[in-house]
Amino acid sequence: MRLMPDKPQPDWDSRSDTVLSDQIAAYDKMRSRCPVAYSDYLGWSLFGHEDVVRALDDHRTFSSEVSRHLSVPSGMDPPRHTAYRRLIERHFEPERVEAFEPLCRAISVDLVSSLERGVEIDLVTQLAQRFAVQIQCAFLGWPDSLHQPLLQWVQKNHEATLARDTSAMAAIALEFDGYINQLLAARREAGAAAPEDITSDLLRERVNDRPLNHEEIVSILRNWTVGELGTITACVGILGHYLAENPQLQRRLREGPHQLPAAIDEILRMHAPLISNRRVATRPVEIGGRKIAAGERVTLMWASANRDEAIFGDPDDFRLDRDPAQNLLYGRGIHVCPGAQLARLELRVVMEELLKRTRKFTLVPGRQPTIAIYPASGFSGLPMLVA
């Protein structure tokens, strides 16, 4: 049992209006002013690249077991984590990811083609969210009939997060588990006639010489889906916004789409689709000149570490020749994102089709995007004109 230490005095208010109105700018300032900072809401926040990498590489000191709820495998430490991680990785093998490209492209073509031309659209709700829901359902083998319920769930989750309504957020989480329970029940009832997909595969998986139990399967599917819906939506919005603001780069990528993979990683380095991850200190540790006691919460600020001037120089300088090993977009260490190759394929394909099937896309004059607030990133509204 971990003893909780006395709380330090806060160095900042992570939920102030100033921070939430522009998270990236606020974290840049904190990285310069107080790179290891305490707040009542986040515990200790690590803003510098070196400190975040140190925490990622030292899972014995910085544990991922931060939740009261089962989280497979992202909320586990070795040795428990290891067997689950091997199981997860089998579902993201290169052959399976590559085989998904034609279906991902068909979804992208359909969504981009359906965008109205010459009138104001919202790129978040009309492309980013729909793309995230449809590709996730397609990859997991979930029916098209779930598209609309999941889109409504995303909207309710967004509204509850915006209102900081914790009771509503808890009810919404249970609602999502209900979808998963229905899918699993249908497959169990179908038996040998169940569709051949990842969701059915999980019902046959074993870990430590026993079948996965229901709670473990639900946790895996929840982590895959909720994380994917949020981050892919954020990614598409961030990429669309950046290219709309930088028409010369937009033209360059239309003419040279082979540059897209590096460009996507670089844009998402500058504006992270995932703000942070949590850890807890298992023993006393000093980092960045601050002493963190055993049991204290630690927040790894991806959105700051990937903009650290000590590593990247001017964080807003767009460059395609950076060392990809320094980019923490998909994490690092034992918890590096197992679906990184899939996410890269999905983002490359949807941006290829957006560039191929339009002449240009621009921000709407006089209309400001709505910036997403913590724990989300990117935009919750993105007015745009597509030609």
Side-chain angles (χ1 to χ4, degrees):
M1 178 174 145
R2 293 185 182 124
L3 295 176
M4 297 309 297
D6 294 334
K7 291 196 329 183
Q9 288 298 310
D11 298 300
W12 68 309
D13 179 359
S14 60
R15 293 193 288 179
S16 72
D17 291 341
T18 301
V19 170
L20 295 181
S21 66
D22 191 343
Q23 295 182 86
I24 303 299
Y27 301 152
D28 282 349
K29 290 178 182 175
M30 287 303 300
R31 186 175 61 254
S32 172
R33 180 177 75 81
C34 188
V36 179
Y38 184 82
S39 68
D40 290 333
Y41 185 60
L42 295 180
W44 291 99
S45 293
L46 310 184
F47 292 95
H49 190 278
E50 181 182 353
D51 291 337
V52 168
V53 165
R54 176 181 165 189
L56 292 171
D57 288 347
D58 184 4
H59 57 266
R60 291 178 179 83
T61 303
F62 299 94
S63 168
S64 294
E65 295 187 357
V66 297
S67 175
R68 293 171 297 168
H69 307 290
L70 180 68
S71 180
V72 182
S74 55
M76 295 176 168
D77 296 327
R80 188 181 180 211
H81 164 271
T82 308
Y84 290 99
R85 175 70 189 207
R86 281 199 297 263
L87 182 157
I88 297 296
E89 287 175 343
R90 290 200 294 272
H91 295 282
F92 294 98
E93 290 174 343
E95 297 79 10
R96 179 169 236 157
V97 171
E98 290 163 10
F100 183 60
E101 181 167 346
L103 183 50
C104 180
R105 192 169 297 279
I107 291 168
S108 301
V109 169
D110 180 61
L111 289 172
V112 171
S113 299
S114 71
L115 294 175
E116 288 186 87
R117 271 43 173 187
V119 299
E120 180 179 320
I121 66 164
D122 182 349
L123 197 77
V124 171
T125 58
Q126 293 176 247
L127 177 63
Q129 288 180 357
R130 293 177 184 179
F131 177 70
V133 164
Q134 291 188 30
I135 57 169
Q136 186 65 6
C137 286
F139 189 72
L140 294 178
W142 293 4
D144 292 354
S145 59
L146 267 181
H147 291 173
Q148 196 56 38
L150 285 178
L151 283 170
Q152 292 170 352
W153 181 89
V154 166
Q155 183 59 32
K156 286 188 287 187
N157 192 47
H158 166 70
E159 290 171 357
T161 302
L162 197 64
R164 303 178 191 175
D165 187 338
T166 53
S167 60
M169 290 167 69
I172 290 164
L174 284 176
E175 179 185 334
F176 192 89
D177 285 0
Y179 295 130
I180 297 176
N181 288 329
Q182 291 172 17
L183 289 162
L184 294 175
R187 280 161 171 74
R188 289 189 176 103
E189 186 176 341
E196 288 295 324
D197 55 35
I198 291 178
T199 305
S200 296
D201 287 348
L202 288 174
L203 290 170
R204 298 187 287 265
E205 285 283 10
R206 299 180 66 84
V207 64
N208 300 324
D209 296 323
R210 63 163 178 81
L212 284 175
N213 64 41
H214 181 77
E215 185 185 12
E216 290 166 336
I217 296 172
V218 171
S219 176
I220 290 169
L221 290 171
R222 183 198 306 119
N223 284 346
W224 280 352
T225 309
V226 175
E228 186 85 351
L229 294 180
T231 54
I232 292 295
T233 295
C235 286
V236 174
I238 291 165
L239 293 168
H241 179 264
Y242 191 86
L243 294 183
E245 275 201 322
N246 293 273
Q248 289 184 328
L249 177 61
Q250 189 181 141
R251 285 194 296 271
R252 177 180 165 187
L253 294 176
R254 289 179 189 278
E255 295 164 2
H258 64 281
Q259 300 173 93
L260 260 174
I264 289 170
D265 277 11
E266 174 68 349
I267 294 167
L268 298 178
R269 176 198 64 76
M270 291 187 281
H271 188 161
L274 180 66
I275 293 292
S276 63
N277 272 144
R278 298 182 296 162
R279 296 291 190 272
V280 63
T282 62
R283 52 194 174 195
V285 61
E286 183 171 325
I287 189 164
R290 307 298 295 271
K291 292 182 179 179
I292 299 175
E296 289 192 304
R297 294 172 298 135
V298 179
T299 305
L300 313 182
M301 306 299 291
W302 307 111
S304 173
N306 253 356
R307 293 175 54 82
D308 191 334
E309 296 82 353
I311 302 297
F312 302 105
D314 181 349
D316 292 308
D317 184 16
F318 177 88
R319 287 174 44 190
L320 296 182
D321 61 347
R322 297 189 186 277
D323 177 2
Q326 301 284 14
N327 191 336
L328 301 176
L329 174 60
Y330 293 101
R332 174 184 167 122
I334 65 169
H335 290 289
V336 65
C337 177
Q341 183 182 354
L342 175 65
R344 284 191 166 106
L345 178 144
E346 292 167 346
L347 295 174
R348 171 180 60 80
V349 168
V350 73
M351 294 311 295
E352 282 176 351
E353 296 303 329
L354 184 59
L355 292 168
K356 183 193 303 182
R357 296 177 185 278
T358 63
R359 290 186 292 107
K360 66 176 180 177
F361 46 90
T362 59
L363 301 177
V364 179
R367 298 272 282 124
Q368 293 298 315
T370 304
I371 297 175
I373 66 165
Y374 188 90
S377 184
F379 304 92
S380 55
L382 186 52
M384 194 166 284
L385 295 171
V386 177

